[in-house]
Amino acid sequence: MTSRIKGVIAAIPTPITAAGDPDAELFLKAARHLLANGCDGLNVLGTTGEATSFSVAQRMALMDAVAASRLPMEQLMVGTGAAAVADACTLTAHAAKLGFAGALLLPPFYYKGVNDDGIFTYVARVVEASAKPAVPIYLYHFPALSGVRYEAPVVGRLLKAFPGRIAGLKDSSGDMDYARGMAALSNAFDVFPSTEACLDEARTGTFAGCISATANLTAADCRKALRDGDAAALARAVAGRKSFDGQPLIPAVKARLAAVLQEPTLASVLPPMVAVAAPADKLLAAE
């Protein structure tokens, strides 16, 4: 396998056409902008990318467009989680075939109270379905939305059962003690909290970086903080994230990035999201 994706990773939004499909052309424009302005990588079709609001066919079509572009695939992971294990297998196998650097896998998120055996079996089927060619699997821990947790015992079982395949975890729980505990499971298990505030710990090697929705706007400062230990840049990045407090995060990120790129249609969202207007604030002016 190639070297693992690390550093500042933006959870890139998915532009939408008037027909409700992913707008591949505008997506590629946004992706190139982010990679040229501080991002070490991108999380395609994650939560910020409204992945679970698209059909499997729509998600695969955007993945195809990304793979056919000149974007560096070694810097891109893609969300492949789905409630149906067959859909997750299809999406993850497609990610493997196209050469994505990783597949970000939600746990099975419809049924609640699922035990570790059920979670293990779900992930195992996805891992086996994407073995030839193999794609690194990153577990996506977001219990506030999924209602299902990736806890240390089941993650440890997966690491033992599939050496080299379970590459890491994105932690969107906001619980830094949980993130540190996951990072301690294995030196070969890369953990990415979803906040820019973790970048000091990423510099020490505790974390592999961050995967953040707000990195779409804060990436330049995030890069300075991570690479140079620039405390002022880190403070600006953390403040930039905090400026979204009280707003619906995904529509607000899309609105601000739409203003930065001067592409108003990027602010469109799929139901059940509702679009918001981009504020004329200092962060936007700086970007």
Side-chain angles (χ1 to χ4, degrees), residues 34-246:
L34 293 169
L35 291 171
N37 288 278
C39 289
D40 298 301
L42 301 175
N43 171 206
V44 178
L45 288 168
T47 300
T48 308
E50 299 172 84
T52 56
S53 294
F54 291 110
S55 69
V56 170
Q58 288 173 316
R59 291 166 73 173
M60 290 173 69
L62 182 59
M63 291 162 68
D64 288 340
V66 170
S69 74
R70 294 186 178 181
L71 290 181
M73 297 297 285
E74 70 276 8
Q75 294 176 252
L76 309 178
M77 65 169 60
V78 61
T80 60
V85 68
D87 289 345
C89 288
T90 295
L91 289 162
T92 309
H94 200 58
K97 182 182 74 173
L98 294 176
F100 279 89
L104 187 62
L105 186 67
L106 283 163
F109 54 79
Y110 180 76
Y111 296 105
K112 307 305 182 280
V114 176
N115 64 24
D116 282 358
D117 288 340
I119 295 170
F120 179 89
T121 301
Y122 175 95
V123 176
R125 290 197 182 179
V126 174
V127 171
E128 290 160 358
S130 57
K132 294 182 180 179
V135 62
I137 301 292
Y138 292 83
L139 306 176
Y140 188 6
H141 184 68
F142 200 173
L145 290 189
S146 71
V148 179
R149 297 179 63 86
Y150 281 122
E151 297 288 14
V154 72
V155 173
R157 280 178 66 187
L158 289 164
L159 287 169
K160 184 176 180 180
F162 303 105
R165 287 299 311 283
I166 308 299
L169 177 142
K170 178 191 176 186
D171 177 35
S172 293
S173 70
D175 182 345
M176 295 305 294
D177 287 337
Y178 168 88
R180 294 182 192 104
M182 289 293 107
L185 288 176
S186 168
N187 290 334
F189 189 66
D190 295 332
V191 173
F192 297 85
S194 62
T195 173
E196 291 88 334
C198 79
L199 292 175
D200 264 348
E201 288 182 86
R203 279 179 58 78
T204 68
T206 301
F207 302 124
C210 72
I211 302 175
S212 168
T214 49
N216 285 283
L217 286 306
T218 65
D221 280 328
C222 288
R223 173 172 282 188
K224 291 177 185 176
L226 181 58
R227 295 192 177 181
D228 305 328
D230 187 324
L234 179 60
R236 287 193 300 270
V238 171
R241 183 176 184 85
K242 189 172 178 57
S243 73
F244 285 87
D245 287 357

